Amino acid sequence: MAENLNLFTSTQEVIREALTKMGYDESVYELMKEPLRLLTVRMPVRMDDGTTRVFTGYRAQHNDSVGPTKGGVRFHPDVDEEEVKALSMWMTLKCGIVDLPYGGGKGGIICDPRTMSMGELERLSRAYVRAISQIVGPTKDIPAPDVYTNSQIMAWMMDEYSRIDEFNSPGFITGKPIVLGGSQGREKATAQGVTICIEQAAKKRGISIQGARVVVQGFGNAGSFLAKFMHDAGAKVIAISDAHGAIHDPNGLDIDYLLDRRDSFGTVTTLFENTLTNSELLEIECDILVPAAVSNQITAQNVDRINASIIVEAANGPTTLEATKRLNERDILLVPDVLASAGGVTVSYFEWVQNNQGYYWTEEEVNEKLEKKIVSAFNQVYDLAHSRKVNMRLAAYMVGARKSAEASKFRGWV
Ligand code: NAD
């Protein structure tokens, strides 16, 4: 049978398995197999050349039994309904794993921001908020940045919502600039969370971070900060990549130099000759492999050539279910995306809490609270995987789905 590369149906498959393992009946799966709500919007936007273009966007709200839904907005040409739905389901799992009072949400607009001016991006961002304003808000559904959206876009969106609401509403969205109520530590939060998971996984496997060989696929927000944190902790980052290729030095790369040279889309390998391909990068012998770029990178095709002791998924969906099974059989410790990349939403939650109380924390306070949440989540998932003899992905889904399943039951929905 062909391997399932569809993120939506493979997510459904693991949710079903997780709920069954926990003893929930079919009605809970029926509720959780899709978002409760999916709004499709079409937005006319005036372009710089005077023409009008109509963009399509989505907002999915997976489950709001625990509290408001929460999740990023992605601007990308490949956005589609299924992807937004799958991503909203992952957000429910992430929020459950780090125990946040949220369910999952996600949004996206089909567009290519790399070809748009700042003015066009601003008009599109504002149009999106007007289009979805009925179903979002600080106590309903709280957006955030995702692929190709940033703090400037969050600022425009917050401003537009505040005009509609006729209140200054910083709690409407997270990932804002600090002066508009953003949180210290938000920009690096995903990489911080991944780093904490690597430290915990390395401890379990008796690997010292000092001198550990680390390979990172992707050098954007998640990958580049992660490489920097690993480098600063004494690890040897021996290979990194971007969409154009990979670079490798067995003695360790100069991460500060690469960080300095990368562009805002996370491209740096084009500055070098004789680069490796991304598939060659994945097969380099190392202690810790971090896929931090795109989905479906470790599949049945290449999994047997993966040469790492620990894999920590910073990206969403980089390993297929078949590959997860085979890595588990080879006793390679895989820390799944829904746990490893939950640092971003955790600090987004901290930002919302600070907005609600109007009192702001230092970066040290944020990092301390983040560490507590991620360490506790990691250990809960790790211990469950051992006690129930399941892989870390299934254990993470079990921990992640439980809160929404329980809340839905208490509310009498199922
Ligand atoms: P980004 O856009 O900042 O960077 C993406 C990086 O991946 C760039 O270096 C790009 O060149 C590279 N890339 C793109 N296509 C590639 C390909 N086919 N092969 C190899 N490299 C490729 O994105 P990001 O924010 O760093 O996100 C990376 C991954 O982490 C995504 O899967 C995202 O969903 C996930 N993630 C990010 C966050 C966050 O807060 N940034 C949070 C949770 C999950």
Side-chain angles (χ1 to χ4, degrees):
M1 205 171 66
E3 188 175 21
N4 185 359
L5 299 180
N6 180 307
L7 295 180
F8 178 57
T9 54
S10 53
T11 302
Q12 285 183 321
E13 203 178 311
V14 192
I15 288 187
R16 178 191 279 276
E17 205 181 339
L19 292 171
T20 307
K21 273 253 173 245
M22 289 187 292
Y24 289 108
D25 61 33
E26 188 67 15
S27 64
V28 181
Y29 173 68
E30 275 302 307
L31 179 75
M32 294 190 62
K33 73 176 189 188
E34 294 234 10
L36 290 176
R37 259 166 250 112
L38 174 72
L39 180 64
T40 303
V41 292
R42 298 186 70 242
M43 300 157 285
V45 173
R46 184 63 50 88
M47 306 305 277
D48 289 348
D49 64 4
T51 59
T52 295
R53 232 182 102 188
V54 183
F55 292 87
T56 300
Y58 306 96
R59 187 73 196 170
Q61 298 173 339
H62 176 243
N63 186 299
D64 56 7
S65 59
V66 168
T69 46
K70 177 99 192 77
V73 182
R74 178 172 289 201
F75 283 11
H76 198 277
D78 298 338
V79 163
D80 65 26
E81 203 178 297
E82 269 208 344
E83 182 187 65
V84 174
K85 288 201 291 190
L87 290 167
S88 75
M89 287 151 82
W90 284 349
M91 288 308 298
T92 293
L93 297 166
K94 286 188 196 188
C95 294
I97 289 169
V98 278
D99 196 16
L100 308 181
Y102 293 139
K106 202 79 183 192
I109 300 178
I110 306 169
C111 66
D112 190 350
R114 290 165 295 189
T115 62
M116 294 169 70
S117 71
M118 290 292 273
E120 289 167 344
L121 278 174
E122 176 175 355
R123 292 191 287 281
L124 177 61
S125 304
R126 290 183 184 278
Y128 180 66
V129 170
R130 288 194 299 276
I132 64 167
S133 64
Q134 298 274 311
I135 64 161
V136 289
T139 56
K140 284 194 211 166
D141 182 12
I142 306 133
D146 193 74
V147 175
Y148 293 158
T149 51
N150 55 24
S151 57
Q152 174 61 77
I153 291 176
M154 299 305 107
W156 290 325
M157 289 187 174
M158 190 276 263
D159 183 66
E160 191 66 25
Y161 186 81
S162 296
R163 289 183 195 196
I164 295 168
D165 203 27
E166 296 180 351
F167 267 104
N168 193 23
S169 304
F172 157 66
I173 205 160
T174 58
K176 302 178 292 293
I178 301 281
V179 291
L180 290 181
S183 177
Q184 299 290 344
R186 174 62 184 86
E187 194 192 13
K188 297 179 182 166
T190 300
Q192 283 278 11
V194 178
T195 304
I196 297 164
C197 285
I198 292 177
E199 287 164 357
Q200 295 302 308
K203 224 187 261 176
K204 299 286 184 200
R205 286 294 157 108
I207 293 173
S208 162
I209 297 291
Q210 275 289 333
R213 294 160 305 162
V214 180
V215 169
V216 184
Q217 184 189 43
F219 208 61
N221 174 281
S224 66
F225 286 130
L226 182 270
K228 169 77 176 146
F229 290 149
M230 285 288 99
H231 177 72
D232 291 351
K236 235 188 324 179
V237 182
I238 59 171
I240 61 108
S241 73
D242 58 31
H244 306 274
I247 48 177
H248 178 209
D249 181 348
N251 297 316
L253 295 163
D254 183 346
I255 297 302
D256 290 319
Y257 175 80
L258 296 173
L259 266 177
D260 209 37
R261 296 293 183 279
R262 71 165 192 147
D263 69 15
S264 62
F265 293 107
T267 305
V268 72
T269 65
T270 42
L271 300 176
F272 299 86
E273 283 175 8
N274 302 321
T275 55
L276 304 178
T277 65
N278 265 286
S279 10
E280 288 166 335
L281 166 121
L282 293 171
E283 296 171 16
I284 294 172
E285 186 185 342
C286 63
D287 300 299
I288 299 155
L289 171 62
V290 185
V294 284
S295 55
N296 291 330
Q297 295 301 293
I298 304 176
T299 67
Q301 305 304 316
N302 64 356
V303 64
D304 296 331
R305 294 191 300 277
I306 299 294
N307 222 332
S309 306
I310 297 170
I311 300 174
V312 181
E313 297 181 328
N316 285 321
T319 315
T320 62
L321 299 186
E322 176 59 28
T324 301
K325 205 172 112 220
R326 296 209 336 227
L327 291 168
N328 197 47
E329 283 161 9
R330 286 173 59 200
D331 199 29
I332 294 175
L333 179 56
L334 181 135
V335 184
D337 44 15
V338 285
L339 165 61
S341 68
V345 67
T346 305
V347 176
S348 265
Y349 163 62
F350 295 159
E351 181 174 332
W352 179 77
V353 170
Q354 293 169 79
N355 295 151
N356 288 344
Q357 58 185 13
Y359 178 73
Y360 289 85
W361 310 338
T362 63
E363 189 161 354
E364 289 69 37
E365 284 174 284
V366 169
N367 287 340
E368 196 184 308
K369 289 178 168 64
L370 174 65
E371 174 142 15
K372 263 193 199 144
K373 282 246 174 240
I374 302 288
V375 169
S376 152
F378 181 95
N379 285 311
Q380 214 185 334
V381 171
Y382 187 86
D383 293 346
L384 187 70
H386 275 250
S387 66
R388 298 294 302 270
K389 298 194 176 18
V390 297
N391 65 47
M392 288 276 281
R393 188 180 314 283
L394 182 52
Y397 273 56
M398 288 164 75
V399 173
R402 191 161 47 200
K403 200 167 170 182
S404 289
E406 281 303 294
S408 300
K409 273 183 105 60
F410 273 121
R411 282 179 185 265
W413 291 358
V414 278

